[in-house]
Amino acid sequence: DTAVSQTPKYLVTQMGNDKSIKCEQNLGHDTMYWYKQDSKKFLKIMFSYNNKELIINETVPNRFSPKSPDKAHLNLHINSLELGDSAVYFCASSPPGQGPYNEQFFGPGTRLTVL
Amino acid sequence: EDKVVQSPLSLVVHEGDTVTLNCSYEVTNFRSLLWYKQEKKAPTFLFMLTSSGIEKKSGRLSSILDKKELFSILNITATQTGDSAIYLCAALRGTYKYIFGTGTRLKVLA
């Protein structure tokens, strides 16, 4: 019955490693997002895909690479992890259509800790 | 540059108090303003506002948007300890881009 799911929920890794976070939504939404939430709880958009096409690519180091194999999945791969990458990463999705009624649904978050 | 500013940053009240949270925005191609509540995990949706002056209500929570003065408020009446959370507002720019404020951390004491 899960709407937006992410795996893993927690990720602890060493600096320099490469890791991936997966996201899946079963809501039939066209648009998916990755956000980073820092320790001060500020939610910043990183990427957005609409129907597997990249539509938002904020100023994010190119160590971060999103991939959308189909419109229900949006994964995030991070190369050469740095201490500053430690944060909670949220996946979200929103319904199709171009009207102003695009409420976002968030996944449970992945807490990444880089040691 | 687009910005969304929330105030106050944090607030401590007693059960039964009424609180007003503020959100001001400067966003090009503004479409709508959303409010979320974040407890321990993911933000959960509260309201979406697209028109000025129309109050949205859900139980003890209500919200209104002023598109002329570029702000929104979220009111919570008769607060309860379960209202303790971070309240986030976000402005939708265009079709896809949500710009979040820094949040207001509300703590309700018994």
Side-chain angles (χ1 to χ4, degrees), chain B residues 70-85:
Chain B
L70 308 183
F71 76 91
S72 174
I73 59 171
L74 175 70
N75 277 321
I76 310 174
T77 57
T79 51
Q80 301 171 356
T81 54
D83 296 326
S84 296

Side-chain angles (χ1 to χ4, degrees), chain A residues 69-80:
Chain A
D70 55 62
K71 73 176 196 178
H73 294 84
L74 180 60
N75 304 324
L76 183 66
H77 188 76
I78 316 170
N79 287 329
S80 305

Side-chain angles (χ1 to χ4, degrees), chain A residues 9 31 33 35 37 39-43 45 48 50 55-56 58 90 94 97-104 106-108, chain B residues 4 31-32 34 36 38-45 48 50 86 88 92 94-103 105:
Chain A
K9 289 199 164 55
T31 313
Y33 304 80
Y35 287 89
Q37 188 172 48
S39 56
K40 292 185 180 171
K41 300 295 187 184
F42 182 55
L43 257 178
I45 192 165
S48 178
N50 185 58
I55 51 168
I56 294 174
E58 290 294 285
F90 284 103
S94 64
Q98 301 225 343
Y101 306 109
N102 294 351
E103 168 199 340
Q104 281 191 316
F106 283 83
Chain B
V4 177
R31 299 290 286 269
S32 54
L34 298 90
Y36 287 85
Q38 186 175 21
E39 295 173 89
K40 294 205 164 115
K41 293 203 170 174
T44 52
F45 175 76
M48 175 179 278
T50 55
I86 295 170
L88 298 164
L92 175 59
T95 306
Y96 302 110
K97 189 170 179 181
Y98 296 81
I99 301 154
F100 279 82
T102 47
R105 193 181 291 266

